[in-house]
């Protein structure tokens, strides 16, 4: 039996602290993917001098984990990731340094020490805002009410293993419309996280399937929040808040 190779030299320093970080994806950077953000983040961590913990092995990589990123093309005020560091650091200082090192449009919102348990388990629902410029607000309202009147609406999307159909109505806990100061029709909705994830474009496809609604152009989608879903208060709570 061949002897297993191990890298030369000492093992990497152990992680002594884990940080949970909220960031926003704004403006033109909403078109960046999670992979694009990962590359920008690793450069920013180096420039900011964050004492990152690394994996062992022949190809060590920084200990960063991402959780439930928004789809490419959607803006977001509530994206999350975790990092592990080899020295005790001040979370607020790390946040300021990272924010200065990241490109404009990728903005650090909050940095805290990680609580016990998995971050992904605290991301149970999202609140989304969809802007429909040029759409009659009354038409949007009628379409949303028609959608909410249904119990189940199937949509289909292509995945790596092929086309898959799933319900885009059940995960939508609430949805309502309004008009902003410019007269633009707005749809706000709270969507529980499921597998597969129901995205804003899935909900729009379901609305179109259930009604005659057909917007002249795709809406701008922004994730306003994601976190712990409370059925009692029908709210999405901050996942970084202390229990």
């Amino acid at each position: 039996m061949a002897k297993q190779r191990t890298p030369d030299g000492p093992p990497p320093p152990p992680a002594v602290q884990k940080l949970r970080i909220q960031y926003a994806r704004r403006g033109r950077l909403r078109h960046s993917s999670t992979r694009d953000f990962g590359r920008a983040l690793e450069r920013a961590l180096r420039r900011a001098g964050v004492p990152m913990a690394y994996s062992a092995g022949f190809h060590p990589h920084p200990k960063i984990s991402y959780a439930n990123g928004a789809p490419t093309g959607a803006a977001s005020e509530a994206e999350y990731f975790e990092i592990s560091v080899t020295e005790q650091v001040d979370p607020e200082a790390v946040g300021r340094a990272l924010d200065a090192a990241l490109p404009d449009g990728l903005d650090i919102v909050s940095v805290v020490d990680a609580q016990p348990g998995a971050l992904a388990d605290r991301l149970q629902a999202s609140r989304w805002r969809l802007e429909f410029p040029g759409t009659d607000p009354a038409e949007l309202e009628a379409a949303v009410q028609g959608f909410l009147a249904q119990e189940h609406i199937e949509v289909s999307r292509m995945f790596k293993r092929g086309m898959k159909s799933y319900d885009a109505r059940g995960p939508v806990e609430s949805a309502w419309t309004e008009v902003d100061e410019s007269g633009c029709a707005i749809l706000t909705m709270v969507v529980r996280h499921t597998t597969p994830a129901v995205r804003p474009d899935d909900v729009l496809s379901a609305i179109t399937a259930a009604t005659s609604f057909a917007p002249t152009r795709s809406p701008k989608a922004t994730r306003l929040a994601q976190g712990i879903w409370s059925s009692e208060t029908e709210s999405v709570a901050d996942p970084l808040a202390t229990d």
Side-chain angles (χ1 to χ4, degrees):
M1 180 176 180
K3 185 178 179 180
Q4 186 174 8
R5 293 181 59 209
T6 58
D8 296 330
V16 300
Q17 185 181 9
K18 182 182 285 187
L19 302 175
R20 288 179 176 168
I21 302 174
Q22 177 186 355
Y23 73 97
R25 199 170 74 188
R26 298 166 173 152
R28 64 182 181 82
L29 269 301
R30 72 181 186 275
H31 297 293
S32 61
S33 66
T34 300
R35 182 175 296 179
D36 295 332
F37 175 72
R39 288 193 290 262
L41 175 62
E42 290 192 29
R43 291 193 295 267
L45 288 165
R46 290 193 293 270
R47 287 196 294 267
V50 179
M52 289 297 301
Y54 280 77
S55 63
F58 289 99
H59 303 287
H61 58 271
K63 291 188 174 181
I64 306 171
S65 58
Y66 303 94
N68 199 48
T72 302
S76 178
E77 295 296 312
E79 300 296 283
Y80 295 92
F81 64 93
E82 291 181 321
I83 62 173
S84 296
V85 293
T86 58
E87 302 172 14
Q88 288 291 329
V89 296
D90 174 21
E92 291 187 4
V94 169
R96 290 191 296 270
L98 265 184
D99 192 53
L102 283 166
D104 290 341
L106 296 175
D107 304 310
I108 300 298
V109 176
S110 180
V111 182
V112 301
D113 284 303
Q115 299 184 59
L119 174 59
D121 292 341
R122 302 176 68 86
L123 303 179
Q124 301 167 355
S126 290
R127 186 168 74 253
W128 289 94
R129 171 187 169 100
L130 276 63
E131 302 174 23
F132 291 84
T135 294
D136 181 358
E139 183 182 355
L140 176 61
E141 168 66 14
V144 170
Q145 292 305 316
F147 166 79
L148 292 174
Q150 307 298 313
E151 293 185 359
H152 184 97
I153 304 175
E154 288 269 314
V155 298
S156 298
R157 188 166 85 232
M158 181 62 72
F159 291 81
K160 290 181 179 179
R161 296 186 177 182
M163 190 69 72
K164 187 170 186 177
S165 296
Y166 49 96
D167 177 28
R169 170 61 187 92
V172 179
E173 290 289 344
S174 59
W176 61 96
T177 65
E178 56 192 321
V179 182
D180 69 9
E181 60 276 3
S182 69
C184 180
I186 305 294
L187 166 60
T188 304
M189 58 188 180
V190 174
V191 184
R192 284 184 292 103
H193 297 168
T194 55
T195 302
V198 172
R199 309 183 311 189
D201 56 322
D202 294 325
V203 177
L204 182 56
S205 294
I207 291 174
T208 301
T211 70
S212 59
F213 182 65
T216 55
R217 51 180 165 162
S218 297
K220 176 186 174 183
T222 302
R223 174 148 55 192
L224 302 176
Q226 67 168 322
I228 301 169
W229 165 247
S230 170
S231 57
E232 293 181 0
T233 62
E234 296 188 349
S235 62
V236 180
D238 181 1
L240 302 188
T242 304
D243 290 336

